[in-house]
Amino acid sequence: MLTFDHVHFYYKKGHPILEDINFTIKAGEFVAIVGANGSGKSTVAKLMDGLLLPKKGTVKLQQLDTTNPNDLMKIHQQIGFVFQNPEDQFITTTVMDEVLFGLQNIRVPREAMRGRVDTALRAVQMEDFLEAMPHQLSGGQKQRVAIAAILAMQPQIIIFDEATSMLDPQGREQVLSIMHRLHNQGMTIIHITHHMDEVISAERILLIHEGHLQFDGDPLIFFETVPVLEYQLQLPFAVRLRKTLQLESPLTANWKEGIRSQWPIN
Ligand SMILES: Nc1ncnc2c1ncn2[C@@H]1O[C@H](COP(=O)(O)OP(=O)(O)OP(=O)(O)O)[C@@H](O)[C@H]1O
Ligand SMILES: [Mg+2]
């Protein structure tokens, strides 16, 4: 359980970025965070992990508090980050070393390392690339290696901060499919994105706007009730199509299940 309790944050005093943010993300949820450029999504993500600390209020992972230095290491171990540009995340020269690197950092016993590397690479279907050089892989493959490096550390939560935004449609689909597979296995997934076609398959949407949590709820209700264009967001293709065809009936649970059942794509 990840809880924001009356969280306030600013980078520069007098210029609030987040004001009184409250939410709880339960273990195993798939949550999308949306909002315009500069609305504070990445700031929320960094607060979750204790990379940033609230100016007021608390951020807790179960009973662990990001403002308690003794808890911070445990929090870092339980939350993994995948960023927009996988290149920025690579440190070593082979795929295997890339996944091993994080394990050495958290002092996993040597005899357990290889098993963890193999399992993580298999989970993203990159097991045939052990000796490959990360920089020579395609964008989608790079991002899958970045995910494997996180998975090997066995976090409870993975935050994807625009992790699909630099990928072509096939790469995006593969990464999104991995996210849904991990979710189906019980992992908590937090997906920050500008692609509304990707958030419709989430269980819950958080909309950040002008420092506030403007919406927290079901994607179905979000796209039915929130004037998304006012928040510099688009409607998903499926919703636009419905509107173009001027279908009168409200969106239904069946329709939503139809969207969700597309994932994971194998
Ligand atoms: N290190 C920093 N120092 C000062 N201001 C910052 C810093 N990082 C972010 N900001 C500002 O805080 C606000 C929120 O930034 P943040 O990166 O959280 O937004 P975002 O929603 O992730 O945007 P994007 O969609 O462009 O990734 C922006 O106005 C940004 O300019
Ligand atoms: Mg951001």
Side-chain angles (χ1 to χ4, degrees), residues 11-12 17 35-44 46 52 84 161-162 192 194 208:
Y11 290 98
K12 206 168 136 212
I17 302 290
N37 285 134
S39 57
K41 303 179 296 296
S42 296
T43 303
V44 166
K46 288 174 190 158
L52 295 173
Q84 186 169 28
D161 192 350
E162 311 219 15
I192 299 174
H194 288 280
I208 316 270

Side-chain angles (χ1 to χ4, degrees), residues 8-9 46-47 50-56 66-68 72:
H8 294 247
F9 185 81
K46 288 174 190 158
L47 284 160
L51 290 171
L52 295 173
L53 299 176
K55 301 296 179 187
K56 248 169 55 186
T66 58
T67 55
N68 181 348
L72 214 46

Side-chain angles (χ1 to χ4, degrees), residues 81-82 86 89-90 95-96 98-100 115-130 137-155 158 160 163 167 170-183 185 187 189 264-266:
F81 257 106
V82 182
Q89 303 166 63
F90 293 143
V95 164
M96 178 157 79
E98 202 50 52
V99 183
L100 273 175
R116 283 221 207 175
V117 170
D118 289 344
T119 305
L121 286 172
R122 267 202 307 276
V124 298
Q125 289 158 348
M126 287 297 287
E127 65 273 27
D128 296 335
F129 292 83
L130 265 184
L137 300 173
S138 75
Q141 289 170 334
K142 282 178 188 158
Q143 205 54 303
R144 278 148 63 194
V145 171
I147 295 169
I150 299 297
L151 284 179
M153 307 222 258
Q154 301 178 343
I158 302 188
F160 294 82
L167 304 180
Q170 193 193 2
R172 275 178 49 197
E173 205 161 275
Q174 285 169 343
V175 168
L176 200 59
S177 191
I178 289 167
M179 289 164 55
H180 279 277
R181 202 172 308 131
L182 295 172
H183 171 240
Q185 290 165 6
M187 194 171 267
I189 302 291
I265 291 175
N266 289 307

